[in-house]
Amino acid sequence: MTAEEWTTAEHVHRYLDRADAFPRRAEGESVLLEHVPRNARRILDLGTGDGRLLALLQSDRPEMLGLGLDLSELMLEAARKRFADDERIELVKHDLAEPLPASGRFDAVVSSMAIHHLEHERKRSLYGEVFELLEPGGVFANFEHVASPTPRMHLAFFAAIGEPLEHEDPSDRLLDVESQLGWLRALGFQDVDCYWKWLEMALLIGVKPAEIG
Ligand SMILES: C[S@@+](CC[C@H](N)C(=O)[O-])C[C@H]1O[C@@H](n2cnc3c(N)ncnc32)[C@H](O)[C@@H]1O
């Protein structure tokens, strides 16, 4: 299993304690929020963690119904605490290495810093499942930790976020932006691009065509 770290309290709390401290993160997230329509009703969050992204989306989409998937019971506990008594948000334990559960269609599928934990082949097949789950016209927005083009730039990223390289997450399976954009285009997504990027943090977006065929 590639995501074992996320089952330990130390790893989970270490991430949650500094989730707000990633430089420029709020900027990237704000671009994501701009591209998820305000009237999106059903939103799926892949690797929801403590529900950070669902909460951001919910702040100006009070009617939305969110489904957050995550493998980590500790993360789901934190998310359940965040959304206690909020019936608009459903949280389900699911390993993204396995096919997505059948849960109907979504107006938007989002993810934040999660899909890079999957093997590359699974990233690609997951993108295909996302395409199938989206309503026509639906948007896929993946705020992601991506690979640097060179080892020197990888070191520079860790220096910029104030982390020693030894703290690199062993479950990271970083992949470059271009390969992922190419997969999204090949799957049939439109308007595919990297909408925001700072070093190894990038926002990849594609829209399912409103009319297919
Ligand atoms: C860096 S955290 C990001 C959490 C949250 N999306 C956020 O932006 O704060 C990565 C999340 O991906 C989840 N994750 C990693 N591998 C996973 C897998 N195979 N299936 C489901 N969730 C996974 C972890 O449990 C963790 O919650």
Side-chain angles (χ1 to χ4, degrees), residues 2-3 6 12 15-16 19 25 29 45-53 69-72 75 94-97 111-118 143 169 171:
T2 55
W6 296 101
V12 163
Y15 168 74
L16 291 179
R25 180 175 197 165
E29 288 171 335
D45 182 12
L46 304 173
T48 194
D50 70 341
R52 175 189 178 93
L53 199 47
L69 303 180
D70 205 287
L71 166 95
S72 163
M75 280 294 196
H94 178 76
D95 183 352
L96 293 171
S111 187
S112 165
M113 314 261 277
I115 294 173
H116 68 275
H117 293 112
L118 302 172
F143 180 72
D169 192 334
S171 67

PDB file of all heavy atoms in Angstrom, residues 2-3 6 12 15-16 19 25 29 45-53 69-72 75 94-97 111-118 143 169 171, ligand 1:
ATOM      1  N   THR A   2       0.522   2.234  -0.794  1.00  0.00           N
ATOM      2  CA  THR A   2       1.368   3.420  -0.915  1.00  0.00           C
ATOM      3  C   THR A   2       1.015   4.503   0.104  1.00  0.00           C
ATOM      4  O   THR A   2       1.738   5.457   0.262  1.00  0.00           O
ATOM      5  CB  THR A   2       1.218   4.040  -2.318  1.00  0.00           C
ATOM      6  OG1 THR A   2      -0.152   4.293  -2.538  1.00  0.00           O
ATOM      7  CG2 THR A   2       1.782   3.145  -3.393  1.00  0.00           C
ATOM      8  N   ALA A   3      -0.108   4.373   0.783  1.00  0.00           N
ATOM      9  CA  ALA A   3      -0.595   5.492   1.591  1.00  0.00           C
ATOM     10  C   ALA A   3      -0.537   5.218   3.093  1.00  0.00           C
ATOM     11  O   ALA A   3      -1.203   5.888   3.866  1.00  0.00           O
ATOM     12  CB  ALA A   3      -2.030   5.810   1.180  1.00  0.00           C
ATOM     13  N   TRP A   6      -0.546   7.803   6.041  1.00  0.00           N
ATOM     14  CA  TRP A   6      -1.741   8.565   6.408  1.00  0.00           C
ATOM     15  C   TRP A   6      -2.600   7.848   7.439  1.00  0.00           C
ATOM     16  O   TRP A   6      -3.619   8.371   7.870  1.00  0.00           O
ATOM     17  CB  TRP A   6      -2.547   8.897   5.151  1.00  0.00           C
ATOM     18  CG  TRP A   6      -1.754   9.797   4.267  1.00  0.00           C
ATOM     19  CD1 TRP A   6      -1.062   9.433   3.157  1.00  0.00           C
ATOM     20  CD2 TRP A   6      -1.510  11.198   4.456  1.00  0.00           C
ATOM     21  NE1 TRP A   6      -0.412  10.523   2.633  1.00  0.00           N
ATOM     22  CE2 TRP A   6      -0.670  11.613   3.412  1.00  0.00           C
ATOM     23  CE3 TRP A   6      -1.919  12.137   5.415  1.00  0.00           C
ATOM     24  CZ2 TRP A   6      -0.230  12.929   3.284  1.00  0.00           C
ATOM     25  CZ3 TRP A   6      -1.488  13.447   5.292  1.00  0.00           C
ATOM     26  CH2 TRP A   6      -0.661  13.827   4.247  1.00  0.00           C
ATOM     27  N   VAL A  12      -0.404  12.391  10.096  1.00  0.00           N
ATOM     28  CA  VAL A  12      -1.635  13.160   9.870  1.00  0.00           C
ATOM     29  C   VAL A  12      -1.563  14.501  10.591  1.00  0.00           C
ATOM     30  O   VAL A  12      -1.833  15.555  10.005  1.00  0.00           O
ATOM     31  CB  VAL A  12      -2.862  12.334  10.334  1.00  0.00           C
ATOM     32  CG1 VAL A  12      -4.090  13.209  10.501  1.00  0.00           C
ATOM     33  CG2 VAL A  12      -3.132  11.203   9.337  1.00  0.00           C
ATOM     34  N   TYR A  15       0.844  17.002   9.054  1.00  0.00           N
ATOM     35  CA  TYR A  15       0.294  17.681   7.873  1.00  0.00           C
ATOM     36  C   TYR A  15      -0.742  18.727   8.288  1.00  0.00           C
ATOM     37  O   TYR A  15      -0.687  19.882   7.853  1.00  0.00           O
ATOM     38  CB  TYR A  15      -0.326  16.667   6.889  1.00  0.00           C
ATOM     39  CG  TYR A  15      -1.128  17.390   5.831  1.00  0.00           C
ATOM     40  CD1 TYR A  15      -0.488  18.084   4.805  1.00  0.00           C
ATOM     41  CD2 TYR A  15      -2.521  17.460   5.894  1.00  0.00           C
ATOM     42  CE1 TYR A  15      -1.215  18.809   3.863  1.00  0.00           C
ATOM     43  CE2 TYR A  15      -3.250  18.182   4.954  1.00  0.00           C
ATOM     44  CZ  TYR A  15      -2.594  18.848   3.952  1.00  0.00           C
ATOM     45  OH  TYR A  15      -3.308  19.573   3.032  1.00  0.00           O
ATOM     46  N   LEU A  16      -1.684  18.314   9.134  1.00  0.00           N
ATOM     47  CA  LEU A  16      -2.779  19.235   9.482  1.00  0.00           C
ATOM     48  C   LEU A  16      -2.250  20.482  10.193  1.00  0.00           C
ATOM     49  O   LEU A  16      -2.754  21.586   9.975  1.00  0.00           O
ATOM     50  CB  LEU A  16      -3.832  18.523  10.337  1.00  0.00           C
ATOM     51  CG  LEU A  16      -4.650  17.436   9.609  1.00  0.00           C
ATOM     52  CD1 LEU A  16      -5.640  16.776  10.560  1.00  0.00           C
ATOM     53  CD2 LEU A  16      -5.394  18.016   8.391  1.00  0.00           C
ATOM     54  N   ALA A  19      -0.918  22.707   7.374  1.00  0.00           N
ATOM     55  CA  ALA A  19      -1.652  22.768   6.099  1.00  0.00           C
ATOM     56  C   ALA A  19      -1.829  24.213   5.609  1.00  0.00           C
ATOM     57  O   ALA A  19      -1.839  24.462   4.406  1.00  0.00           O
ATOM     58  CB  ALA A  19      -3.006  22.084   6.252  1.00  0.00           C
ATOM     59  N   ARG A  25      -0.460  28.754  -1.050  1.00  0.00           N
ATOM     60  CA  ARG A  25      -1.539  27.768  -1.165  1.00  0.00           C
ATOM     61  C   ARG A  25      -2.904  28.439  -1.337  1.00  0.00           C
ATOM     62  O   ARG A  25      -3.707  28.036  -2.185  1.00  0.00           O
ATOM     63  CB  ARG A  25      -1.555  26.869   0.084  1.00  0.00           C
ATOM     64  CG  ARG A  25      -2.640  25.843   0.019  1.00  0.00           C
ATOM     65  CD  ARG A  25      -2.622  24.854   1.170  1.00  0.00           C
ATOM     66  NE  ARG A  25      -3.435  23.708   0.783  1.00  0.00           N
ATOM     67  CZ  ARG A  25      -3.432  22.559   1.396  1.00  0.00           C
ATOM     68  NH1 ARG A  25      -2.673  22.365   2.438  1.00  0.00           N
ATOM     69  NH2 ARG A  25      -4.205  21.572   0.984  1.00  0.00           N
ATOM     70  N   GLU A  29      -5.727  27.872  -4.213  1.00  0.00           N
ATOM     71  CA  GLU A  29      -7.085  27.432  -3.857  1.00  0.00           C
ATOM     72  C   GLU A  29      -8.124  28.448  -4.325  1.00  0.00           C
ATOM     73  O   GLU A  29      -9.221  28.078  -4.748  1.00  0.00           O
ATOM     74  CB  GLU A  29      -7.184  27.224  -2.339  1.00  0.00           C
ATOM     75  CG  GLU A  29      -6.435  25.984  -1.861  1.00  0.00           C
ATOM     76  CD  GLU A  29      -6.326  25.882  -0.350  1.00  0.00           C
ATOM     77  OE1 GLU A  29      -6.384  26.916   0.354  1.00  0.00           O
ATOM     78  OE2 GLU A  29      -6.154  24.753   0.156  1.00  0.00           O
ATOM     79  N   ASP A  45     -15.034  15.166  -3.479  1.00  0.00           N
ATOM     80  CA  ASP A  45     -13.663  15.548  -3.136  1.00  0.00           C
ATOM     81  C   ASP A  45     -12.841  14.273  -2.910  1.00  0.00           C
ATOM     82  O   ASP A  45     -13.121  13.498  -1.991  1.00  0.00           O
ATOM     83  CB  ASP A  45     -13.688  16.427  -1.871  1.00  0.00           C
ATOM     84  CG  ASP A  45     -12.298  16.915  -1.477  1.00  0.00           C
ATOM     85  OD1 ASP A  45     -11.349  16.779  -2.285  1.00  0.00           O
ATOM     86  OD2 ASP A  45     -12.162  17.430  -0.349  1.00  0.00           O
ATOM     87  N   LEU A  46     -11.836  14.085  -3.752  1.00  0.00           N
ATOM     88  CA  LEU A  46     -11.016  12.872  -3.701  1.00  0.00           C
ATOM     89  C   LEU A  46      -9.836  13.080  -2.744  1.00  0.00           C
ATOM     90  O   LEU A  46      -9.023  13.975  -2.962  1.00  0.00           O
ATOM     91  CB  LEU A  46     -10.499  12.550  -5.106  1.00  0.00           C
ATOM     92  CG  LEU A  46     -11.582  12.404  -6.183  1.00  0.00           C
ATOM     93  CD1 LEU A  46     -10.936  12.263  -7.570  1.00  0.00           C
ATOM     94  CD2 LEU A  46     -12.479  11.214  -5.881  1.00  0.00           C
ATOM     95  N   GLY A  47      -9.745  12.273  -1.692  1.00  0.00           N
ATOM     96  CA  GLY A  47      -8.679  12.443  -0.700  1.00  0.00           C
ATOM     97  C   GLY A  47      -8.944  13.685   0.125  1.00  0.00           C
ATOM     98  O   GLY A  47      -8.100  14.560   0.280  1.00  0.00           O
ATOM     99  N   THR A  48     -10.136  13.726   0.691  1.00  0.00           N
ATOM    100  CA  THR A  48     -10.643  14.957   1.321  1.00  0.00           C
ATOM    101  C   THR A  48      -9.875  15.381   2.572  1.00  0.00           C
ATOM    102  O   THR A  48      -9.935  16.537   2.986  1.00  0.00           O
ATOM    103  CB  THR A  48     -12.142  14.788   1.639  1.00  0.00           C
ATOM    104  OG1 THR A  48     -12.722  16.042   1.939  1.00  0.00           O
ATOM    105  CG2 THR A  48     -12.378  13.818   2.801  1.00  0.00           C
ATOM    106  N   GLY A  49      -9.153  14.444   3.197  1.00  0.00           N
ATOM    107  CA  GLY A  49      -8.437  14.792   4.429  1.00  0.00           C
ATOM    108  C   GLY A  49      -9.420  15.233   5.500  1.00  0.00           C
ATOM    109  O   GLY A  49     -10.432  14.571   5.763  1.00  0.00           O
ATOM    110  N   ASP A  50      -9.150  16.389   6.106  1.00  0.00           N
ATOM    111  CA  ASP A  50     -10.064  16.881   7.148  1.00  0.00           C
ATOM    112  C   ASP A  50     -11.173  17.742   6.534  1.00  0.00           C
ATOM    113  O   ASP A  50     -11.834  18.486   7.246  1.00  0.00           O
ATOM    114  CB  ASP A  50      -9.297  17.653   8.228  1.00  0.00           C
ATOM    115  CG  ASP A  50      -8.779  18.987   7.717  1.00  0.00           C
ATOM    116  OD1 ASP A  50      -8.678  19.165   6.484  1.00  0.00           O
ATOM    117  OD2 ASP A  50      -8.479  19.862   8.551  1.00  0.00           O
ATOM    118  N   GLY A  51     -11.365  17.629   5.216  1.00  0.00           N
ATOM    119  CA  GLY A  51     -12.470  18.333   4.570  1.00  0.00           C
ATOM    120  C   GLY A  51     -12.164  19.779   4.233  1.00  0.00           C
ATOM    121  O   GLY A  51     -13.071  20.567   3.965  1.00  0.00           O
ATOM    122  N   ARG A  52     -10.888  20.111   4.210  1.00  0.00           N
ATOM    123  CA  ARG A  52     -10.472  21.500   3.959  1.00  0.00           C
ATOM    124  C   ARG A  52     -11.122  22.100   2.707  1.00  0.00           C
ATOM    125  O   ARG A  52     -11.707  23.181   2.748  1.00  0.00           O
ATOM    126  CB  ARG A  52      -8.939  21.499   3.802  1.00  0.00           C
ATOM    127  CG  ARG A  52      -8.343  22.824   3.433  1.00  0.00           C
ATOM    128  CD  ARG A  52      -6.862  22.665   3.091  1.00  0.00           C
ATOM    129  NE  ARG A  52      -6.324  23.949   2.690  1.00  0.00           N
ATOM    130  CZ  ARG A  52      -5.722  24.796   3.537  1.00  0.00           C
ATOM    131  NH1 ARG A  52      -5.583  24.487   4.802  1.00  0.00           N
ATOM    132  NH2 ARG A  52      -5.273  25.955   3.109  1.00  0.00           N
ATOM    133  N   LEU A  53     -11.037  21.350   1.589  1.00  0.00           N
ATOM    134  CA  LEU A  53     -11.523  21.899   0.324  1.00  0.00           C
ATOM    135  C   LEU A  53     -13.051  21.969   0.301  1.00  0.00           C
ATOM    136  O   LEU A  53     -13.636  22.934  -0.210  1.00  0.00           O
ATOM    137  CB  LEU A  53     -10.992  21.016  -0.814  1.00  0.00           C
ATOM    138  CG  LEU A  53     -10.959  21.571  -2.216  1.00  0.00           C
ATOM    139  CD1 LEU A  53     -10.355  22.966  -2.260  1.00  0.00           C
ATOM    140  CD2 LEU A  53     -10.164  20.628  -3.130  1.00  0.00           C
ATOM    141  N   LEU A  69     -14.096  11.541   0.032  1.00  0.00           N
ATOM    142  CA  LEU A  69     -13.544  10.188   0.151  1.00  0.00           C
ATOM    143  C   LEU A  69     -12.127  10.277   0.693  1.00  0.00           C
ATOM    144  O   LEU A  69     -11.351  11.145   0.260  1.00  0.00           O
ATOM    145  CB  LEU A  69     -13.489   9.497  -1.218  1.00  0.00           C
ATOM    146  CG  LEU A  69     -14.784   9.370  -2.014  1.00  0.00           C
ATOM    147  CD1 LEU A  69     -14.506   8.650  -3.332  1.00  0.00           C
ATOM    148  CD2 LEU A  69     -15.859   8.637  -1.210  1.00  0.00           C
ATOM    149  N   ASP A  70     -11.786   9.394   1.592  1.00  0.00           N
ATOM    150  CA  ASP A  70     -10.409   9.319   2.074  1.00  0.00           C
ATOM    151  C   ASP A  70     -10.172   7.932   2.651  1.00  0.00           C
ATOM    152  O   ASP A  70     -11.091   7.284   3.153  1.00  0.00           O
ATOM    153  CB  ASP A  70     -10.112  10.387   3.136  1.00  0.00           C
ATOM    154  CG  ASP A  70      -8.640  10.749   3.204  1.00  0.00           C
ATOM    155  OD1 ASP A  70      -7.850   9.927   3.721  1.00  0.00           O
ATOM    156  OD2 ASP A  70      -8.262  11.845   2.727  1.00  0.00           O
ATOM    157  N   LEU A  71      -8.909   7.558   2.594  1.00  0.00           N
ATOM    158  CA  LEU A  71      -8.501   6.246   3.098  1.00  0.00           C
ATOM    159  C   LEU A  71      -8.251   6.263   4.604  1.00  0.00           C
ATOM    160  O   LEU A  71      -8.381   5.249   5.287  1.00  0.00           O
ATOM    161  CB  LEU A  71      -7.196   5.901   2.371  1.00  0.00           C
ATOM    162  CG  LEU A  71      -6.329   4.783   2.847  1.00  0.00           C
ATOM    163  CD1 LEU A  71      -6.685   3.533   2.066  1.00  0.00           C
ATOM    164  CD2 LEU A  71      -4.865   5.128   2.599  1.00  0.00           C
ATOM    165  N   SER A  72      -7.880   7.445   5.111  1.00  0.00           N
ATOM    166  CA  SER A  72      -7.380   7.538   6.478  1.00  0.00           C
ATOM    167  C   SER A  72      -8.513   7.779   7.470  1.00  0.00           C
ATOM    168  O   SER A  72      -9.195   8.813   7.429  1.00  0.00           O
ATOM    169  CB  SER A  72      -6.359   8.690   6.555  1.00  0.00           C
ATOM    170  OG  SER A  72      -6.156   9.066   7.889  1.00  0.00           O
ATOM    171  N   MET A  75      -7.997  11.030   9.341  1.00  0.00           N
ATOM    172  CA  MET A  75      -8.415  12.213   8.581  1.00  0.00           C
ATOM    173  C   MET A  75      -9.940  12.307   8.572  1.00  0.00           C
ATOM    174  O   MET A  75     -10.508  13.393   8.763  1.00  0.00           O
ATOM    175  CB  MET A  75      -7.901  12.126   7.147  1.00  0.00           C
ATOM    176  CG  MET A  75      -6.460  12.516   6.988  1.00  0.00           C
ATOM    177  SD  MET A  75      -6.223  14.280   7.351  1.00  0.00           S
ATOM    178  CE  MET A  75      -4.604  14.551   6.640  1.00  0.00           C
ATOM    179  N   HIS A  94     -12.569   5.321   1.673  1.00  0.00           N
ATOM    180  CA  HIS A  94     -12.351   4.672   0.373  1.00  0.00           C
ATOM    181  C   HIS A  94     -10.890   4.824  -0.027  1.00  0.00           C
ATOM    182  O   HIS A  94     -10.320   5.910   0.082  1.00  0.00           O
ATOM    183  CB  HIS A  94     -13.249   5.303  -0.705  1.00  0.00           C
ATOM    184  CG  HIS A  94     -13.026   4.693  -2.047  1.00  0.00           C
ATOM    185  ND1 HIS A  94     -13.521   3.458  -2.393  1.00  0.00           N
ATOM    186  CD2 HIS A  94     -12.309   5.122  -3.120  1.00  0.00           C
ATOM    187  CE1 HIS A  94     -13.133   3.155  -3.628  1.00  0.00           C
ATOM    188  NE2 HIS A  94     -12.400   4.153  -4.086  1.00  0.00           N
ATOM    189  N   ASP A  95     -10.312   3.739  -0.491  1.00  0.00           N
ATOM    190  CA  ASP A  95      -8.953   3.770  -1.014  1.00  0.00           C
ATOM    191  C   ASP A  95      -9.012   4.101  -2.502  1.00  0.00           C
ATOM    192  O   ASP A  95      -9.570   3.339  -3.295  1.00  0.00           O
ATOM    193  CB  ASP A  95      -8.302   2.395  -0.795  1.00  0.00           C
ATOM    194  CG  ASP A  95      -6.848   2.366  -1.244  1.00  0.00           C
ATOM    195  OD1 ASP A  95      -6.388   3.346  -1.864  1.00  0.00           O
ATOM    196  OD2 ASP A  95      -6.176   1.354  -0.961  1.00  0.00           O
ATOM    197  N   LEU A  96      -8.430   5.233  -2.863  1.00  0.00           N
ATOM    198  CA  LEU A  96      -8.496   5.682  -4.260  1.00  0.00           C
ATOM    199  C   LEU A  96      -7.718   4.770  -5.209  1.00  0.00           C
ATOM    200  O   LEU A  96      -7.834   4.908  -6.424  1.00  0.00           O
ATOM    201  CB  LEU A  96      -7.974   7.117  -4.377  1.00  0.00           C
ATOM    202  CG  LEU A  96      -8.839   8.183  -3.704  1.00  0.00           C
ATOM    203  CD1 LEU A  96      -8.113   9.535  -3.706  1.00  0.00           C
ATOM    204  CD2 LEU A  96     -10.191   8.316  -4.400  1.00  0.00           C
ATOM    205  N   ALA A  97      -6.944   3.859  -4.650  1.00  0.00           N
ATOM    206  CA  ALA A  97      -6.283   2.875  -5.518  1.00  0.00           C
ATOM    207  C   ALA A  97      -7.323   1.931  -6.113  1.00  0.00           C
ATOM    208  O   ALA A  97      -7.057   1.269  -7.111  1.00  0.00           O
ATOM    209  CB  ALA A  97      -5.239   2.096  -4.724  1.00  0.00           C
ATOM    210  N   SER A 111     -10.033  17.862  -5.950  1.00  0.00           N
ATOM    211  CA  SER A 111      -9.064  17.136  -5.138  1.00  0.00           C
ATOM    212  C   SER A 111      -7.961  18.105  -4.764  1.00  0.00           C
ATOM    213  O   SER A 111      -7.654  19.029  -5.525  1.00  0.00           O
ATOM    214  CB  SER A 111      -8.497  15.954  -5.939  1.00  0.00           C
ATOM    215  OG  SER A 111      -7.685  15.158  -5.108  1.00  0.00           O
ATOM    216  N   SER A 112      -7.376  17.903  -3.597  1.00  0.00           N
ATOM    217  CA  SER A 112      -6.298  18.786  -3.171  1.00  0.00           C
ATOM    218  C   SER A 112      -5.173  17.961  -2.562  1.00  0.00           C
ATOM    219  O   SER A 112      -5.371  17.316  -1.518  1.00  0.00           O
ATOM    220  CB  SER A 112      -6.846  19.802  -2.161  1.00  0.00           C
ATOM    221  OG  SER A 112      -5.794  20.432  -1.484  1.00  0.00           O
ATOM    222  N   MET A 113      -4.045  17.974  -3.219  1.00  0.00           N
ATOM    223  CA  MET A 113      -2.806  17.356  -2.720  1.00  0.00           C
ATOM    224  C   MET A 113      -3.000  15.887  -2.343  1.00  0.00           C
ATOM    225  O   MET A 113      -2.441  15.434  -1.340  1.00  0.00           O
ATOM    226  CB  MET A 113      -2.302  18.128  -1.489  1.00  0.00           C
ATOM    227  CG  MET A 113      -2.315  19.626  -1.654  1.00  0.00           C
ATOM    228  SD  MET A 113      -0.728  20.282  -2.088  1.00  0.00           S
ATOM    229  CE  MET A 113       0.040  20.417  -0.503  1.00  0.00           C
ATOM    230  N   ALA A 114      -3.758  15.153  -3.112  1.00  0.00           N
ATOM    231  CA  ALA A 114      -4.042  13.761  -2.755  1.00  0.00           C
ATOM    232  C   ALA A 114      -3.693  12.769  -3.858  1.00  0.00           C
ATOM    233  O   ALA A 114      -3.104  11.721  -3.579  1.00  0.00           O
ATOM    234  CB  ALA A 114      -5.520  13.626  -2.373  1.00  0.00           C
ATOM    235  N   ILE A 115      -4.033  13.089  -5.108  1.00  0.00           N
ATOM    236  CA  ILE A 115      -3.917  12.097  -6.180  1.00  0.00           C
ATOM    237  C   ILE A 115      -2.445  11.734  -6.446  1.00  0.00           C
ATOM    238  O   ILE A 115      -2.142  10.654  -6.943  1.00  0.00           O
ATOM    239  CB  ILE A 115      -4.647  12.614  -7.451  1.00  0.00           C
ATOM    240  CG1 ILE A 115      -6.156  12.685  -7.148  1.00  0.00           C
ATOM    241  CG2 ILE A 115      -4.388  11.732  -8.661  1.00  0.00           C
ATOM    242  CD1 ILE A 115      -6.994  13.321  -8.246  1.00  0.00           C
ATOM    243  N   HIS A 116      -1.535  12.623  -6.049  1.00  0.00           N
ATOM    244  CA  HIS A 116      -0.115  12.317  -6.284  1.00  0.00           C
ATOM    245  C   HIS A 116       0.375  11.159  -5.417  1.00  0.00           C
ATOM    246  O   HIS A 116       1.508  10.720  -5.565  1.00  0.00           O
ATOM    247  CB  HIS A 116       0.754  13.563  -6.051  1.00  0.00           C
ATOM    248  CG  HIS A 116       0.809  13.993  -4.622  1.00  0.00           C
ATOM    249  ND1 HIS A 116      -0.141  14.806  -4.045  1.00  0.00           N
ATOM    250  CD2 HIS A 116       1.701  13.707  -3.639  1.00  0.00           C
ATOM    251  CE1 HIS A 116       0.166  15.012  -2.783  1.00  0.00           C
ATOM    252  NE2 HIS A 116       1.268  14.358  -2.506  1.00  0.00           N
ATOM    253  N   HIS A 117      -0.467  10.673  -4.522  1.00  0.00           N
ATOM    254  CA  HIS A 117      -0.071   9.502  -3.738  1.00  0.00           C
ATOM    255  C   HIS A 117      -0.328   8.195  -4.483  1.00  0.00           C
ATOM    256  O   HIS A 117       0.093   7.132  -4.024  1.00  0.00           O
ATOM    257  CB  HIS A 117      -0.821   9.480  -2.396  1.00  0.00           C
ATOM    258  CG  HIS A 117      -0.420  10.604  -1.498  1.00  0.00           C
ATOM    259  ND1 HIS A 117      -1.269  11.643  -1.173  1.00  0.00           N
ATOM    260  CD2 HIS A 117       0.754  10.889  -0.898  1.00  0.00           C
ATOM    261  CE1 HIS A 117      -0.630  12.498  -0.397  1.00  0.00           C
ATOM    262  NE2 HIS A 117       0.600  12.071  -0.217  1.00  0.00           N
ATOM    263  N   LEU A 118      -1.026   8.281  -5.599  1.00  0.00           N
ATOM    264  CA  LEU A 118      -1.351   7.062  -6.353  1.00  0.00           C
ATOM    265  C   LEU A 118      -0.288   6.777  -7.406  1.00  0.00           C
ATOM    266  O   LEU A 118       0.378   7.695  -7.892  1.00  0.00           O
ATOM    267  CB  LEU A 118      -2.710   7.245  -7.045  1.00  0.00           C
ATOM    268  CG  LEU A 118      -3.883   7.564  -6.117  1.00  0.00           C
ATOM    269  CD1 LEU A 118      -5.121   7.907  -6.933  1.00  0.00           C
ATOM    270  CD2 LEU A 118      -4.150   6.403  -5.170  1.00  0.00           C
ATOM    271  N   PHE A 143      -6.020  20.330  -7.479  1.00  0.00           N
ATOM    272  CA  PHE A 143      -4.950  21.158  -6.909  1.00  0.00           C
ATOM    273  C   PHE A 143      -3.902  20.175  -6.401  1.00  0.00           C
ATOM    274  O   PHE A 143      -4.154  19.427  -5.451  1.00  0.00           O
ATOM    275  CB  PHE A 143      -5.530  21.996  -5.774  1.00  0.00           C
ATOM    276  CG  PHE A 143      -4.523  22.895  -5.113  1.00  0.00           C
ATOM    277  CD1 PHE A 143      -4.044  24.015  -5.764  1.00  0.00           C
ATOM    278  CD2 PHE A 143      -4.070  22.630  -3.837  1.00  0.00           C
ATOM    279  CE1 PHE A 143      -3.114  24.848  -5.157  1.00  0.00           C
ATOM    280  CE2 PHE A 143      -3.147  23.460  -3.217  1.00  0.00           C
ATOM    281  CZ  PHE A 143      -2.672  24.570  -3.883  1.00  0.00           C
ATOM    282  N   ASP A 169       7.412  12.972   1.741  1.00  0.00           N
ATOM    283  CA  ASP A 169       6.446  11.918   2.027  1.00  0.00           C
ATOM    284  C   ASP A 169       6.785  10.674   1.204  1.00  0.00           C
ATOM    285  O   ASP A 169       6.779  10.727  -0.022  1.00  0.00           O
ATOM    286  CB  ASP A 169       5.054  12.461   1.627  1.00  0.00           C
ATOM    287  CG  ASP A 169       3.938  11.593   2.129  1.00  0.00           C
ATOM    288  OD1 ASP A 169       4.174  10.395   2.323  1.00  0.00           O
ATOM    289  OD2 ASP A 169       2.832  12.133   2.311  1.00  0.00           O
ATOM    290  N   SER A 171       5.096   8.321   0.468  1.00  0.00           N
ATOM    291  CA  SER A 171       3.988   7.872  -0.388  1.00  0.00           C
ATOM    292  C   SER A 171       3.786   8.791  -1.596  1.00  0.00           C
ATOM    293  O   SER A 171       2.860   8.591  -2.380  1.00  0.00           O
ATOM    294  CB  SER A 171       2.692   7.759   0.424  1.00  0.00           C
ATOM    295  OG  SER A 171       2.258   9.029   0.842  1.00  0.00           O
TER     296      SER A 171
HETATM  297  C1  LIG B   1      -1.787  16.014   1.811  1.00  0.00           C
HETATM  298  S1  LIG B   1      -3.276  15.333   2.431  1.00  0.00           S
HETATM  299  C2  LIG B   1      -4.480  16.434   1.698  1.00  0.00           C
HETATM  300  C3  LIG B   1      -5.795  16.417   2.410  1.00  0.00           C
HETATM  301  C4  LIG B   1      -6.812  17.451   1.934  1.00  0.00           C
HETATM  302  N1  LIG B   1      -7.281  17.158   0.590  1.00  0.00           N
HETATM  303  C5  LIG B   1      -6.230  18.836   1.996  1.00  0.00           C
HETATM  304  O1  LIG B   1      -6.120  19.493   0.955  1.00  0.00           O
HETATM  305  O2  LIG B   1      -5.873  19.290   3.086  1.00  0.00           O
HETATM  306  C6  LIG B   1      -3.440  13.864   1.435  1.00  0.00           C
HETATM  307  C7  LIG B   1      -4.713  13.102   1.696  1.00  0.00           C
HETATM  308  O3  LIG B   1      -4.825  12.038   0.747  1.00  0.00           O
HETATM  309  C8  LIG B   1      -5.282  10.881   1.415  1.00  0.00           C
HETATM  310  N2  LIG B   1      -4.857   9.704   0.662  1.00  0.00           N
HETATM  311  C9  LIG B   1      -3.611   9.330   0.344  1.00  0.00           C
HETATM  312  N3  LIG B   1      -3.632   8.185  -0.347  1.00  0.00           N
HETATM  313  C10 LIG B   1      -4.934   7.831  -0.480  1.00  0.00           C
HETATM  314  C11 LIG B   1      -5.607   6.747  -1.088  1.00  0.00           C
HETATM  315  N4  LIG B   1      -4.953   5.762  -1.711  1.00  0.00           N
HETATM  316  N5  LIG B   1      -6.956   6.705  -1.030  1.00  0.00           N
HETATM  317  C12 LIG B   1      -7.652   7.693  -0.382  1.00  0.00           C
HETATM  318  N6  LIG B   1      -7.065   8.733   0.209  1.00  0.00           N
HETATM  319  C13 LIG B   1      -5.723   8.814   0.163  1.00  0.00           C
HETATM  320  C14 LIG B   1      -4.618  10.972   2.782  1.00  0.00           C
HETATM  321  O4  LIG B   1      -5.265  10.161   3.738  1.00  0.00           O
HETATM  322  C15 LIG B   1      -4.748  12.450   3.073  1.00  0.00           C
HETATM  323  O5  LIG B   1      -5.972  12.754   3.700  1.00  0.00           O
END
